[in-house]
Amino acid sequence: MRHVFHVKIGPIGFRVGSDWRQPIAQLETLYRDYPEPDDGIPDFSVRLFAARPWRRFVRPAVMIGGDYTIPDTAPLPLSLGLLAAEMGMNLQMALAQRRYLLLHASCVERDGRAVLMTGISGAGKSTLAALLMARGWRLMGDEFALVDPETGLLHGFPRLVSLKNESVAVIEAALPRARFGPLQLATPKGDIRHLVPDADSIARMAEPARAAAILFPRFGFEAAQRPVLPSETFVRLTQASTNYVAMGERGFDALTALVRGVPAVAIDYPDAATAVAQVEAVAA
Amino acid sequence: MSALLLVAALRDPPSVTALDADGWTALIGAARAEQMIGTLAYRLQGLPMPDAAARILADARLSADQGRIAALWEAEMARRALAPLGVPVVLLKGTAFVAAGLSAGVGRSIGDLDILVPRESIDAVEAALLAAGWEWVKPDPYDDAYYRQWMHELPPLIHRERDRMIDVHHTILPLTARVRPDASLLLADSFELGNGLSMLSREDVLVHAAAHLFADGDLAGGLRNLWDIHCLLDEFDAPGFRDALIARAAHHGLAREMARAVRLADALYVPLPLAGGVRGGLDVSSSALSDTSPPAAPPASGRGARFADRLYRRRLLGRDGWGVQRRKLSEFAFYLRGHYLRMPPAMLARHLWTKWRKGYRPPG
C-alpha cells in the first residue's frame, strides 16, 4: 500500500492503506487529534485499492478490502474515498469484532450515565447524538456501541459522525464551530458529511460508562413515549447486533444482563428539538 | 513476505519474541488471510508479546472456541437429519479434526460442514437434508447440472435458519479428474467416533488432505491445509506409518500428491535441528525456508519434483504485509492448473467459456 494511516478509535486500532493519497490525507486531517494504535499494532487493517493497476489513474474506483471483507462489494468513486475508508473500518468491526458485543446504536454520556439510541436507518441516531453533543454530552459514537461482556460497561467508538441528507444542515447550524469533512454528494446512502467529535469526546474516548437508558427513537411521528419490556428490548437488540450470534454464550450473557439492568423507552418525535428534550428527560 | 512470518511463527513460536510492531501487524494480517489466526493464537499462547498482540490473539482463541462449538453442533444437526437413513456419515476436514480431538483442530477455523456418504445413498441424503431445512445455494441451472453430473459432491446446501453450508461428498475428487480415488474403501475403513458420526482412517484423512491440496483446485488456503497435514503426520507418527501412508495413497492414485504434501509439510513446518547454536526457524530470511528441505523430509522423486516443490512454495508464501496475495501470475497459473487437473481440456474450455459468458472472471 502506497499511503498508510494509523488511528485508534475507542479501544480499537486501525491501519488504513490506500493506493491513493487523497483519502489518507482526509483521514489524517479529520482524525488528527486521535491517538495511534496501542503498541503500534492495529486490531484491523483496511485497504482501499484499485481493482486493476491502471484503475489507479483511469476512472479511479476504490475497492474496499481488509482483514475481513464481503465478496462483490461495489467500488466507490475516488471522490468518496473517505466514505470508503469509514465503511471499511465499520466492516472490520461488523464482521470480526469478538471482544465486545456490538450494538448498532449511537451513544452519548453525561455524569457517567450512558444513553444508547438504536433503531432503523433514518430513525435519527446520528443526528440525535450530534445534537446532544452540542448540548454538552460526551459523544461515544454514532454507529456502534461496544458492550464489554466481562464488566457490562459500554465502550465508546467515537469515529467520525456520519451525517446524512437533511441532518447535515441541521447539525451545521447547531455546531457552527465544529470541524466537518467534505460534503460527499450522491453516495449510496445519499448526501453525507462527516463531523469530527468534539475535543472532550476524543480526549475521553478510552473512558467506558455504564448504560443508564436504552432508547428506540422514531422520527416523523407525534411526540410520544412508552416503556419497552426487557423481552422486547432483547429481541430488538439481537437484531441490532452484528456479532450477537458469533459471540455465542458470551453475547447472550452480556445482552441479557444489559436488558435486565437498564430501562428501555420507545420515543416518537416530530422534530429534533422535541427529541432532545425527551431524551434528556428520560435520562435525567 | 508475511506468509513466511506466519510459517516461522507456527514452526518456531518463540521466534515471535523478536518481532517489532510492523512484524506483528504483518504476521496477524497473514494469519487472518490464511484463516489461521486461531491456530496461531493457540500456538503462541503463553509467550511474552505486546499487550495489543496478546489481546488480538485472545480474541482469536475465543472466536475459534465458538467456531468449534458451532461446527460440532452443525455435525450433530446433520447426524439427526440423516440418522433414519442408517447410512454411515463420515466427517471430513476441520469438523472431523475437532470431533476427534486432533491437534490439527486446535484453533482451526471451520467454515462448511463436509461429510462423505455412500454414492448410492446420495439421493436419499439430499432428500433428508432438504426435509430438515437445508436449501439450495446455487440458483444457476448450469451450476446445478454441472455439480450433479461431474462433481464429487452435491451442489452446496445451506441451512435456512442456521445459515451454515453443508457439502455432501460421495468421493474426494471430481469425477472429471484424472485420478479416481477408491471411495468405497474410504467408507469401508472409516470408523465410528462414538457419537453416531464417523471419520476416515488415519491414512485416508491424510490422503484426502493431500488430494484437496494438490489435485483439486488452485492452492488457495494451502498453508492451512499443509498445517493440517503436518499436525496429522506428527500425531499419527509411528514406525512404518509413512510407508503405509504412501502405499495407501498409491492405491487411491495419489502417491505423488501425498509424497509432495509430506515433503512440503516437513519443509515448511518441522522445526530444523539445532545447527551451530542457531535455530533454523528463527531467521525467516535464511535460506532454510526458501530453498533447502530439512533432513526429516523424504527424498523427492527427482529434480523435476524439486523444481515443482519450489513453485508450490512460491505460490503458498506469496502474501505481502497486508495479507494480500502477490505474484498474481503464479496465482492465475495455479487457478488454470487447478481446472486443468479437474477436467479434460475440451471440457475445461467449454466450462470456462460458459463461465466467462456468465460474467465470472478468474483472479489475476
Side-chain angles (χ1 to χ4, degrees):
Chain A
M1 295 274 100
R2 281 179 178 73
H3 308 280
V4 184
F5 172 68
H6 288 90
V7 68
K8 184 178 163 192
I9 305 171
I12 314 296
F14 290 96
R15 166 176 74 149
V16 183
S18 170
D19 279 346
W20 303 272
R21 173 77 192 133
Q22 179 194 313
I24 298 297
Q26 289 174 331
L27 290 169
E28 282 168 356
T29 306
L30 295 168
Y31 281 109
R32 70 178 185 210
D33 298 325
Y34 285 67
E36 296 260 309
D38 291 344
D39 303 319
I41 304 173
D43 292 87
F44 298 113
S45 294
V46 172
R47 293 183 297 112
L48 307 179
F49 62 100
R52 295 280 181 273
W54 59 88
R55 290 299 290 271
R56 279 179 50 219
F57 311 104
V58 185
R59 287 187 296 126
V62 184
M63 307 286 292
I64 303 172
D67 290 325
Y68 301 92
T69 51
I70 41 180
D72 306 325
T73 315
L76 291 174
L78 182 55
S79 59
L80 301 182
L82 174 65
L83 180 67
E86 292 284 308
M87 285 169 68
M89 288 191 265
N90 282 343
L91 193 62
Q92 305 312 305
M93 293 290 282
L95 293 179
Q97 178 56 249
R98 296 290 182 273
R99 196 177 312 153
Y100 305 101
L101 179 70
L102 284 185
L103 298 176
H104 185 53
S106 66
C107 187
V108 292
E109 176 265 347
R110 195 156 73 181
D111 304 327
R113 294 159 57 80
V115 176
L116 278 172
M117 293 175 282
T118 181
I120 56 166
S121 184
K125 296 185 294 289
S126 300
T127 317
L128 280 178
L131 287 173
L132 288 161
M133 183 177 78
R135 295 174 55 84
W137 289 73
R138 167 164 75 107
L139 179 92
M140 294 181 74
D142 84 313
E143 182 79 27
F144 290 126
L146 282 49
V147 184
D148 186 339
E150 311 296 323
T151 62
L153 292 175
L154 295 176
H155 286 256
F157 187 59
R159 51 185 269 296
L160 303 179
V161 178
S162 171
L163 301 170
K164 296 179 198 80
N165 303 318
E166 298 81 30
S167 80
V168 174
V170 172
I171 301 303
E172 283 170 348
L175 286 159
R177 296 176 56 201
R179 295 171 56 225
F180 292 92
L183 183 62
Q184 302 178 93
L185 296 170
T187 78
K189 295 172 180 174
D191 299 344
I192 286 186
R193 191 164 189 198
H194 289 103
L195 162 70
V196 181
D198 64 17
D200 180 55
S201 301
I202 297 171
R204 291 169 59 206
M205 71 182 191
E207 209 177 284
R210 192 155 295 282
I214 300 166
L215 305 184
F216 298 100
R218 213 163 55 138
F219 171 66
F221 296 87
E222 236 176 89
Q225 62 189 63
R226 69 171 171 93
V228 180
L229 289 175
S231 51
E232 184 187 339
T233 306
F234 178 86
V235 173
R236 290 175 77 155
L237 290 182
T238 59
Q239 289 161 354
S241 172
T242 59
N243 66 356
Y244 171 72
V245 173
M247 293 273 290
E249 198 177 346
R250 289 166 64 236
F252 175 81
D253 290 343
L255 197 54
T256 43
L258 182 72
V259 302
R260 279 199 184 114
V262 182
V265 182
I267 289 179
D268 290 354
Y269 66 95
D271 57 69
T274 311
V276 167
Q278 282 173 298
V279 172
E280 292 200 324
V282 169
Chain B
M1 287 288 152
S2 62
L4 267 180
L5 282 176
L6 175 61
V7 167
L10 289 169
R11 78 191 253 159
D12 183 22
S15 69
V16 298
T17 52
L19 293 176
D20 60 8
D22 287 346
W24 275 105
T25 304
L27 171 63
I28 289 163
R32 282 181 172 150
E34 296 289 346
Q35 298 195 347
M36 294 185 77
I37 185 76
T39 304
L40 180 74
Y42 270 101
R43 192 93 174 115
L44 302 186
Q45 192 170 17
L47 285 166
M49 65 180 74
D51 287 346
R55 229 163 39 210
I56 291 167
L57 295 181
D59 290 349
R61 281 191 293 272
L62 282 174
S63 195
D65 293 349
Q66 183 60 33
R68 178 179 176 279
I69 291 171
L72 292 175
W73 179 247
E74 202 58 28
E76 168 62 15
M77 291 293 96
R79 183 197 69 77
R80 290 184 195 178
L82 300 177
L85 303 182
V87 301
V89 176
V90 180
L91 299 176
L92 302 172
K93 299 184 197 167
T95 311
F97 304 156
V98 296
L102 297 172
S103 62
V106 176
R108 194 182 191 280
S109 98
I110 301 167
D112 309 340
L113 170 62
D114 293 273
I115 60 171
L116 177 75
V117 299
R119 192 170 187 192
E120 60 272 17
S121 316
I122 202 93
D123 292 337
V125 167
E126 181 179 10
L129 290 175
L130 289 173
W134 276 270
E135 294 172 338
W136 300 122
V137 179
K138 302 239 177 197
D140 185 315
Y142 173 80
D143 287 339
D144 192 73
Y146 183 88
Y147 265 93
R148 287 174 192 282
Q149 190 174 1
W150 298 117
M151 290 298 279
H152 51 311
E153 58 192 338
L154 287 175
L157 295 158
I158 197 160
H159 196 275
R160 77 168 79 96
E161 279 152 27
R162 293 188 305 279
D163 205 27
R164 300 273 294 199
M165 293 244 275
I166 187 169
D167 282 332
V168 182
H169 302 243
H170 51 79
T171 181
I172 56 174
L173 280 179
L175 304 178
T176 50
R178 286 161 189 74
V179 180
R180 296 293 285 267
D182 185 346
S184 53
L185 190 65
L186 294 174
L187 282 165
D189 281 2
S190 66
F191 63 93
E192 289 255 0
L193 287 164
N195 59 357
L197 294 159
S198 302
M199 73 175 284
L200 296 173
S201 73
R202 293 177 162 208
E203 290 85 358
D204 283 343
V205 169
L206 274 153
V207 170
H208 179 217
H212 186 59
L213 184 53
F214 291 127
D216 179 25
D218 59 5
L219 264 82
L223 280 182
R224 184 178 73 171
N225 227 294
L226 265 187
W227 177 254
D228 291 342
I229 290 167
H230 162 73
C231 291
L232 294 167
L233 283 171
D234 196 47
E235 194 149 16
F236 300 158
D237 188 31
F241 177 75
R242 288 190 173 205
D243 292 337
L245 177 62
I246 298 294
R248 182 72 165 198
H251 175 82
H252 288 297
L254 289 160
R256 206 166 49 113
E257 286 78 5
M258 193 68 249
R260 169 162 290 139
V262 171
R263 255 190 342 263
L264 279 174
D266 284 348
L268 287 183
Y269 289 128
V270 174
L272 294 175
L274 287 164
V278 180
R279 298 193 56 186
L282 272 177
D283 178 8
V284 295
S285 64
S286 80
S287 61
L289 281 170
S290 50
D291 267 316
T292 58
S293 295
S301 48
R303 288 175 59 179
R306 289 284 177 154
F307 177 71
D309 281 5
R310 213 165 292 164
L311 289 181
Y312 284 110
R313 209 172 305 194
R314 232 180 113 69
R315 168 72 177 91
L316 289 171
L317 296 176
R319 286 198 191 273
D320 69 9
W322 292 79
V324 176
Q325 192 72 46
R326 290 298 165 203
R327 299 167 178 165
K328 287 288 181 192
L329 194 65
S330 131
E331 187 184 10
F332 183 60
F334 274 99
Y335 170 85
L336 285 182
R337 172 188 166 280
H339 272 72
Y340 170 73
L341 290 175
R342 279 172 165 231
M343 51 186 103
M347 184 178 179
L348 172 60
R350 206 161 58 237
H351 173 67
L352 289 180
W353 171 242
T354 308
K355 284 299 203 182
W356 181 273
R357 268 196 351 238
K358 284 171 179 292
Y360 178 76
R361 299 288 179 273

